[in-house]
Amino acid sequence: MTQTNFTAPFRADHVGSLLRPERIHQARKDFQEGTIDADQLHVIETEEIKKIVDKQIEVGLQAVTDGEFRRRFWHTDFLEHLTGVEGYVPDHGFAFKGEETERYDVRVIGKVSFNQDHPHIKEFIEFKEIVGDRAVAKQTIPSPNQLFNAGIRNKDIYPDVEEYTKDVIQAYRDAVQAFYQAGCRYLQFDDVYIAGLNAPEIPFNDSGYSREELIDLALRVVNGVLEVKPDDMTITTHLCRGNYRSKWAFEGSYAKIAPTLFAKENVNGFFLEYDDDRSGDFTPLEHIPNGGPRVVLGVFTSKHGELEDKENILARVEEATQYVSLDQLCISPQCGFASTHHGNILTEDEQWAKLKYIVDISKEIWR
């Protein structure tokens, strides 16, 4: 196995979120109780982000994130700061296997557009300064398709799904350009929505569209956004079936979406869940164009700390080469370690050990 010149996604990569240290949990509690202010909270978050940037570099990762340390949830913190969108507490959380999530969601209250004062832009600039030239600063945001979950679109404001689609695409085009101007060259769309289109019963559809129409719409949305992507910016899609306190939301292979999305989505790479039987086999990868997007195999789990058997990992990567060339493959955990502030059920030491393990195995595969 030989190493070739390679840019993001990297041979050993990771999805983004990291376990929040106890100091951040305490600081957020203190902020809610009014014993510290927003500036003091920000200082604490920044200090902890500096530590985990150093740690990611120490374990050998070439792309590093801020761990999503300034967020409560992987998606709502970004979406609720778009113009025309607000966060709120619904009557119920999302149903995961064996658990209902904390109640919080977003909804449309006006015409949707990108907020040029979006806090994530300022936060990225600060984060990139922390990283410097030591690694690639990776930014994660929810996919534009997350705004198509049932209950988010306001049908009084947007009775026509297509009009809503137009505004969502433009909002994300502006977001991509804002992150680019801020110095971001590695951006990831996290997409539970698209992965859910594989589920036996679609868990979020109030559009009146069929599954096939929703898959086509999802492709149009992402590709519409990507029309403004600069050539020197890498944008990837991470497909997730839910990640909350080591629980999952739904199952199903990628077979239903692969002929459309794997074949035609104009991203630079796909981060795919392949950590257990819920994900199905590698057959859908046959739709990935030869020489096209890189495929990051999520064959390690972020849901527990036990290290995977190395020989099994090597065998699975070899199996995937039946459908995608080794040169197009990478490895990572199937999801982040803390998609929400709660985090998965493992320790910080186990998290770092797993990330280092992934780096070490990648060096063995791509010598």
Side-chain angles (χ1 to χ4, degrees), residues 9-148:
F10 295 99
R11 297 300 191 194
D13 216 313
H14 70 126
V15 170
S17 65
L18 297 167
L19 295 170
R20 276 57 153 185
E22 182 54 38
R23 188 175 179 222
I24 283 187
H25 288 305
Q26 185 62 51
R28 287 196 168 273
K29 180 181 178 183
D30 292 343
F31 175 69
Q32 292 297 322
E33 294 175 351
T35 57
I36 65 172
D37 61 23
D39 289 340
Q40 291 171 305
L41 173 62
H42 188 87
V43 167
I44 292 171
E45 290 170 342
T46 300
E47 290 174 351
E48 295 301 320
I49 288 170
K50 288 179 179 178
K51 293 177 185 177
I52 57 109
V53 166
D54 290 346
K55 191 68 178 178
Q56 289 170 84
I57 294 169
E58 178 187 322
V59 301
L61 292 167
Q62 293 173 271
V64 302
T65 73
D66 66 358
E68 301 180 5
F69 276 13
R70 303 197 196 277
R71 306 186 209 179
R72 292 180 63 249
F73 294 85
W74 63 276
H75 59 317
T76 56
D77 294 68
F78 178 84
L79 296 175
E80 68 186 353
H81 285 101
L82 296 175
T83 300
V85 181
E86 71 169 5
Y88 76 107
V89 178
D91 294 334
H92 303 284
F94 293 100
F96 272 59
K97 184 69 172 180
E99 186 167 356
E100 181 180 310
T101 68
E102 180 182 337
R103 293 180 299 149
Y104 201 75
D105 204 353
V106 297
R107 60 190 174 194
V108 169
I109 57 172
K111 290 290 186 179
V112 175
S113 63
F114 183 67
N115 169 18
Q116 293 297 331
D117 293 323
H118 198 294
H120 279 34
I121 301 299
K122 179 180 178 182
E123 290 165 4
F124 178 81
I125 292 171
E126 188 173 355
F127 167 61
K128 192 171 188 300
E129 289 175 352
I130 291 170
V131 178
D133 60 1
R134 297 179 295 160
V136 175
K138 177 180 178 178
Q139 174 71 28
T140 63
I141 61 174
S143 166
N145 281 308
Q146 290 302 129
L147 286 167
F148 290 83

Side-chain angles (χ1 to χ4, degrees), residues 279-330:
S279 307
D281 61 25
F282 292 134
T283 305
L285 298 183
E286 66 186 3
H287 295 282
I288 298 286
N290 183 33
R294 292 155 190 160
V295 176
V296 188
L297 300 173
V299 289
F300 301 81
T301 188
S302 67
K303 295 184 185 298
H304 61 72
E306 181 182 357
L307 295 180
E308 286 76 4
D309 177 76
K310 185 176 77 169
E311 294 308 314
N312 183 57
I313 294 295
L314 296 176
R316 296 201 72 197
V317 173
E318 183 67 26
E319 181 186 354
T321 63
Q322 297 176 44
Y323 308 100
V324 180
S325 72
L326 183 65
D327 192 55
Q328 272 181 253
L329 295 177
C330 310

